[in-house]
Amino acid sequence: MLATFLQMFVLGGVALLAMLFIGSADDEGTAAVEHTGLAGTAAAFLSIRSLLAALTAAGGAGALLLGVLRLPAPVAIGGAIVAGWAGARAWRALLRRFRVFDRDHSASPDLLLGREGVLTVGISSASAPGVVQLTLGGVSQEYTAIPERDGIFREGERVVVVRIESSSAVIVRHSPYPEPLSSP
């Protein structure tokens, strides 16, 4: 059983670090972050990274309780369950802090105007804005994307920022720049 806990800890931790450095897609923002109680616990487990954080915490706690402190297996399993729950909740709280930091430290309008970005959420009409992802100084930031004129903008389409609507919303139009060459 100690080997299982150690494997959980190592595999979960390595996978979580790899996902963080590679920057793979995840569904981190899909669940509401304001839930408490059972709904908050369920929301904490709704992403791959949260599950990996729970797996890492559970494996580490189980290995510590069983291998280092030499407690009985049922105690180690219970501790691993509690640590897994706490790990997922702590991961969600950490992400919430990063999102608040990103919102509070948005870019200067001078840096956004004329900047090309990619729509991560398409725009079907002016009443249903999308989301544009812009890279500023190597940091990716997302803004609400409102079309300059009526039209359909598909997810993955390149757009250019033409005006700033607010600190979190920009007016966009189709990109006039040629498609970048992709390397084989």
Side-chain angles (χ1 to χ4, degrees):
M1 181 169 292
L2 178 60
T4 303
F5 283 132
L6 288 173
Q7 289 172 346
M8 288 170 53
F9 177 71
V10 170
L11 292 176
V14 168
L16 184 60
L17 286 174
M19 286 182 77
L20 289 174
F21 287 114
I22 293 172
S24 67
D26 199 358
D27 54 359
E28 290 295 356
T30 58
V33 295
E34 302 304 322
H35 292 305
T36 58
L38 187 57
T41 299
F45 287 95
L46 286 179
S47 76
I48 294 168
R49 291 180 184 150
S50 293
L51 288 173
L52 288 172
L55 181 71
T56 304
L64 175 71
L65 293 173
L66 191 64
V68 176
L69 299 178
R70 307 247 185 249
L71 296 175
V75 173
I77 291 170
I81 290 170
V82 170
W85 172 81
R89 296 292 296 212
W91 180 261
R92 188 139 178 93
L94 180 68
L95 288 178
R96 196 171 323 145
R97 289 185 192 273
F98 283 141
R99 282 192 197 106
V100 169
F101 178 82
D102 284 346
R103 274 196 304 268
D104 293 345
H105 295 83
S106 58
S108 162
D110 297 337
L111 294 175
L112 294 177
L113 292 176
R115 180 76 58 167
E116 186 179 59
V118 176
L119 289 176
T120 57
V121 175
I123 304 170
S124 57
S125 68
S127 62
V131 176
V132 62
Q133 183 177 33
L134 301 165
T135 303
L136 303 166
V139 177
S140 179
Q141 294 187 1
E142 290 189 339
Y143 295 89
T144 301
I146 303 167
E148 182 181 38
R149 292 182 216 104
D150 287 339
I152 295 176
F153 295 75
R154 290 184 172 70
E155 181 179 327
E157 193 170 334
R158 296 176 5 213
V159 295
V160 173
V161 176
V162 292
R163 274 194 338 265
I164 309 300
E165 184 72 16
S166 70
S167 63
S168 63
V170 295
I171 308 296
V172 298
R173 72 172 126 178
H174 294 280
S175 175
Y177 306 120
E179 212 39 63
L181 296 174
S182 61
S183 55

